[in-house]
Amino acid sequence: MVYRISPENVRPPRGGPSGALAMVLVLAVAIGIWLLAGRDPGSSTFGGQDPDQRAAPSGEVAPVDPVSGLPYVSPVDLPLRVIDLLADVDTGADLPAGVVRRPFPDAAGVLPAQPGSRYYTEYDVGDGALLVAGPRGERYYSDDAGATYARIGP
């Protein structure tokens, strides 16, 4: 049996987007998102603000200590010898060899002002690392021999 296809028996394709048109639409959407994101593949579409400068949502740690105005540093980001020293200071244990303890007068006024010149205690860990502790649990860290400080915590 032989079938013949005549123009009357051939139906035209049903309506709808073709595969090429769908790909063009997807590509146009992707390019639009890329342009809105600032043309940088790793940039965010968050509006151009620096993410570190926005306010932290409730329940998250603010990037800056509201009392001292110093940035926070997480204890897990500190060198191991400073973490060990923090534990020794908190428990009252003997200081490791090579750590120098002395009163910290804060003559430059970098830390929050407190009554008396012996409020803070400085621990020189070596290699420019300093830990400054207050009697109420305040802890500050410097990795550049005291040129800048960050609040440890919270």
Side-chain angles (χ1 to χ4, degrees), residues 72-131:
Y72 278 116
V73 61
S74 173
V76 297
D77 293 333
L78 297 173
L80 187 58
R81 65 183 191 277
V82 176
I83 294 172
D84 292 342
L85 178 61
L86 274 171
D88 292 343
V89 169
D90 288 342
T91 60
D94 290 336
L95 297 178
V99 174
V100 178
R101 175 183 176 181
R102 61 183 164 255
F104 181 73
D106 192 25
V110 177
L111 305 181
Q114 299 295 338
S117 63
R118 295 185 178 262
Y119 181 84
Y120 293 110
T121 303
E122 177 183 62
Y123 300 88
D124 188 346
V125 186
D127 296 330
L130 300 174
L131 173 68

Side-chain angles (χ1 to χ4, degrees), residues 5 16 20-21 27 49 58 77-79 83 88 109 114 116 119 129 139-140 152:
I5 300 177
L21 180 59
L27 185 61
Q49 268 186 321
S58 61
D77 293 333
L78 297 173
I83 294 172
D88 292 343
Q114 299 295 338
Y119 181 84
R139 305 287 187 256
Y140 301 93
I152 300 172

Side-chain angles (χ1 to χ4, degrees), residues 23-40 45:
M23 289 184 65
V24 167
L25 288 174
V26 168
L27 185 61
V29 169
I31 289 174
I33 291 172
W34 179 65
L35 289 172
L36 286 175
R39 299 182 181 154
D40 183 10
T45 55

